[in-house]
Amino acid sequence: MIIRASEKTDLARILQIEKSAFPNSAWTRAMIYYELTLDVDRKTWVIDSNKELVGYCMIRYGPNEVHLVNMAVDPSLQKMGIGKKLLNHFLNNIPKDSSAYLEVKRSNFPAIKLYLNAGFEDIAIREGYYPDGEDALVMYLKN
């Protein structure tokens, strides 16, 4: 598996994974397009397996903080360590003395476990955060 910076040509595959991973709250094509093209404070990493994109993570940078705004793995390939590889890549590329933040659905227990095992702490709840009305856990990691 290879982790690389995304390209505009990855848009269709990222959108396909997004819709299958988050059927009730998927990002739109336009939202993903902006993450891939507005590169001043953003970065998207993708992971390829056998030359096929199988997962991605989208990051936004701010002063002394990094926000993991979206991450998914093709549902047919989940529970194979791909998400963990992406998360570790993200964590290994956080600027020194920066904190990391993310939101995750309260019901997404596999992702919550992944983040807790990586050292994130649950610090807040955002009620009704997702388009489907579900709450988000806000998680934090000091680098």
Side-chain angles (χ1 to χ4, degrees):
M1 291 196 191
I2 297 170
I3 297 175
R4 61 176 174 80
S6 67
E7 301 170 358
K8 290 178 191 174
T9 56
D10 295 324
L11 176 63
R13 180 65 180 138
I14 290 172
L15 183 60
Q16 184 181 40
I17 293 171
E18 176 75 11
K19 287 180 176 180
S20 61
F22 308 114
N24 298 320
S25 59
W27 282 24
T28 66
R29 180 180 193 83
M31 291 167 75
I32 294 170
Y33 175 79
Y34 289 122
E35 289 301 316
L36 297 179
T37 58
L38 298 176
D39 59 1
V40 173
D41 64 347
R42 300 160 198 233
K43 181 81 173 182
T44 298
W45 296 103
V46 297
I47 188 164
D48 292 330
S49 177
N50 298 321
K51 298 184 181 180
E52 181 181 358
L53 194 155
V54 297
Y56 57 89
C57 67
M58 299 173 175
I59 303 141
R60 293 184 189 165
Y61 296 90
N64 300 318
E65 70 179 54
V66 183
H67 194 125
L68 178 58
V69 294
N70 195 354
M71 182 168 135
V73 171
D74 183 320
S76 70
L77 299 170
Q78 290 177 356
K79 300 185 181 183
M80 297 175 62
I82 297 169
K84 185 175 182 179
K85 285 180 197 273
L86 269 173
L87 183 63
N88 286 338
H89 184 80
F90 162 68
L91 295 174
N92 290 334
N93 285 281
I94 294 175
K96 187 176 177 166
D97 298 323
S98 292
S99 299
Y101 294 88
L102 60 86
E103 289 87 16
V104 60
K105 280 190 171 191
R106 274 179 109 167
S107 65
N108 191 345
F109 300 117
I112 293 167
K113 182 179 177 184
L114 175 69
Y115 301 137
L116 289 172
N117 286 341
F120 280 85
E121 298 175 36
D122 175 0
I123 60 167
I125 296 172
R126 294 188 191 204
E127 294 183 8
Y129 181 78
Y130 290 98
D132 62 2
E134 189 168 342
D135 296 344
L137 295 179
V138 179
M139 301 187 83
Y140 162 84
L141 176 72
K142 177 67 180 160
N143 189 15

